[in-house]
Amino acid sequence: MNMPRPAFRDLSLALATVFCALLLPFPPAHAQTPGQTPAQKPAQAPPDETGPQTDNGPLIIKKKSTEEPAPPPPASDVPKLKNPDGATYSLRVDVPIVNLNVNVILDKTHQFVPGLKADNFLVLEDGVEQKVQTVRMTQTPITAVMLLEFAANSYAYIRDMQYSSAAFYHSLRPDDYIAVITYDLRTHILTDFTNNKDTVAQSLNSLQIPGFSDTNMFDALYETLDRTSRIEGRKYIILIGSGRDTFSKLTLDKMLAKIKATPNVTIFSIGTGALAQELGDARGQIGGIGRMNILQAQNQLKTFATMTGGLYFDPMFQGALPDIFSQINDSIRNQYILTYRPSNPKNDGTYRKIEVLLVDAEGKPLKMQDEKKKPVKYSVIARDGYKAKLPVE
């Protein structure tokens, strides 16, 4: 049963007629991205097969199967699109319970690490250890907004955005709900949340003629966070752009404050123009100020992702995109949900910093090995904190 998604307000799409001769046609949405294979539904795998043993040895990571991991059985017969259990998909304070979404992946292969237990997670809140009460794995569909920079500036940036958005489109599944928004001087809603891939394809294919040259990223991201905060459950923003901001009304500090005040949203940011920047730098076309502006833009994209438990990518070539979106899909769909009662129970509106570490039975950093007994590196991805809700008067 398909339940309707909350609708954004309708906005008219005003596209100028300049720069049309400079653009390549958008990559056909029906064309298959290199490395893309149709999604298959495998049989249910035995639970906790690769989990840590009762001894204190390193965790053995099995080689990643060519098939996708089997999703866990549904918790109930309630349609998934309602997201009836908000705690399943969100980080929130529910007086005084904290539900924390955590992803653990291998650095080299981007493989999700299954089978971890509550004793493997060390959660620090403002530097104080918290007692993890429950840990469970979940696999969920995606509710995401593609927020795309589409402005009349560099052809290379537009081309990279087009290829990246097309690659994400090809990674979607039938139960994923996606909205498409572009921004230049202001935001333009191309399509509301839909699971119709044809509708998404048409909206992406309409991006042929950019309008203004301004890239007001802060304003666009703020508006998108505000809209998605009205939607139940966990949401994702796929931010694809240069990271530059020209004339936003908001400052970076206000943007960061908005991110801190908006739980349940994870941002994955993908930089554009990396190859053009590299070539320009090699030819001496980018001076010291230009280089500083590029680094600042990249740092802003990375900060948005890190604060919300997402990932930042800066691909040089189109061939890296399938692997990038495979990693994003693995991070979004496979997660641990940690539950704990904070040692500081006050709902005083302060921002609580969170750090999540993996430990063994003795409380030492957990070590992982591959099937050949070689050590492997991993990353623990989670929000860097939450805002304790003020009591309702």
Side-chain angles (χ1 to χ4, degrees):
M1 175 178 177
N2 292 336
M3 300 297 298
R5 286 289 174 175
F8 291 163
R9 67 176 182 271
D10 294 330
L11 296 178
S12 60
L13 178 64
L15 298 178
T17 57
V18 294
F19 299 98
C20 58
L22 298 178
L23 303 182
L24 284 177
F26 187 80
H30 61 271
Q32 183 153 316
T33 305
Q36 182 80 13
T37 55
Q40 299 178 0
K41 189 173 182 180
Q44 180 72 33
D48 300 334
E49 186 179 53
T50 58
Q53 304 302 315
T54 55
D55 60 18
N56 200 33
L59 179 64
I60 305 298
I61 304 298
K62 292 189 175 183
K63 187 177 295 185
K64 187 174 182 180
S65 170
T66 56
E67 296 185 353
E68 298 178 359
S76 67
D77 294 331
V78 180
K80 293 182 179 179
L81 299 181
K82 287 185 177 180
N83 289 348
D85 180 10
T88 302
Y89 310 105
S90 64
L91 183 156
R92 69 181 187 187
V93 181
D94 196 11
V95 191
I97 296 295
V98 172
N99 298 288
L100 180 63
N101 295 74
V102 178
N103 190 267
V104 182
I105 59 175
L106 301 182
D107 291 350
K108 185 176 181 180
T109 63
H110 313 314
Q111 177 184 350
F112 175 77
V113 179
L116 297 173
K117 307 297 183 183
D119 292 340
N120 292 127
F121 291 93
L122 172 62
V123 178
L124 302 176
E125 183 178 300
D126 289 337
V128 179
E129 181 177 351
Q130 307 295 309
K131 174 63 177 178
V132 178
Q133 296 180 322
T134 62
V135 172
R136 56 194 175 94
M137 282 180 54
T138 183
Q139 191 172 81
T140 63
I142 296 174
T143 300
V145 177
M146 274 198 285
L147 182 58
L148 312 175
E149 178 187 293
F150 186 56
N153 40 46
S154 173
Y155 153 77
Y157 289 87
I158 297 176
R159 179 197 58 197
D160 287 353
M161 179 277 292
Q162 290 175 327
Y163 283 125
S164 296
S165 57
F168 180 65
Y169 157 80
H170 286 297
S171 71
L172 299 179
R173 298 180 183 176
D175 54 353
D176 296 331
Y177 273 75
I178 305 298
V180 181
I181 301 177
T182 63
Y183 68 92
D184 44 28
L185 183 64
R186 60 189 181 89
T187 57
H188 310 270
I189 300 176
L190 302 189
T191 181
D192 200 348
F193 282 106
T194 179
N195 63 346
N196 188 324
K197 293 188 69 173
D198 291 337
T199 301
V200 177
Q202 291 172 9
S203 67
L204 296 178
N205 285 328
S206 70
L207 299 178
Q208 298 298 326
I209 305 174
F212 301 97
S213 60
D214 304 304
T215 54
N216 291 355
M217 179 182 65
F218 297 161
D219 289 349
L221 182 56
Y222 190 101
E223 290 178 21
T224 304
L225 286 169
D226 193 47
R227 290 174 178 133
T228 56
S229 65
R230 309 166 195 168
I231 302 172
E232 184 182 359
R234 172 147 297 276
K235 292 83 58 178
Y236 300 89
I237 296 176
I238 311 300
L239 173 58
I240 304 176
S242 65
R244 296 178 297 185
D245 187 273
T246 51
F247 298 112
S248 282
K249 298 178 182 178
L250 297 170
T251 63
L252 177 60
D253 289 342
K254 291 183 178 180
M255 185 68 256
L256 299 180
K258 178 65 174 179
I259 292 176
K260 289 181 178 181
T262 311
N264 310 330
V265 178
T266 301
I267 300 172
F268 291 87
S269 53
I270 301 172
T272 56
L275 180 59
Q277 295 164 7
E278 187 75 15
L279 294 176
D281 196 25
R283 296 167 182 167
Q285 299 172 342
I286 300 178
I289 296 179
R291 192 176 294 106
M292 287 296 296
N293 290 337
I294 291 173
L295 292 176
Q296 179 181 354
Q298 293 172 340
N299 184 64
Q300 288 171 170
L301 291 176
K302 186 175 182 179
T303 299
F304 298 156
T306 302
M307 288 181 63
T308 59
L311 299 169
Y312 164 69
F313 303 92
D314 191 27
M316 186 77 67
F317 302 104
Q318 179 188 350
L321 295 176
D323 183 62
I324 286 175
F325 286 106
S326 174
Q327 185 175 352
I328 290 177
N329 272 276
D330 208 27
S331 178
I332 291 177
R333 300 185 193 280
N334 300 286
Q335 289 184 333
Y336 289 98
I337 310 297
L338 277 59
T339 301
Y340 70 92
R341 292 181 180 273
S343 56
N344 181 0
K346 297 180 180 179
N347 289 331
D348 52 7
T350 59
Y351 192 75
R352 313 284 175 77
K353 294 287 291 184
I354 291 178
E355 184 178 7
V356 183
L357 306 171
L358 294 186
V359 296
D360 58 22
E362 296 181 354
K364 298 179 180 180
L366 181 65
K367 297 180 180 179
M368 297 187 188
Q369 295 179 347
D370 59 18
E371 293 178 313
K372 296 181 180 180
K373 306 297 182 181
K374 294 182 179 180
V376 293
K377 295 181 180 181
Y378 60 88
S379 296
V380 180
I381 304 169
R383 286 188 67 99
D384 71 349
Y386 68 92
K387 188 174 183 180
K389 294 189 296 185
L390 290 168
V392 178
E393 298 182 356

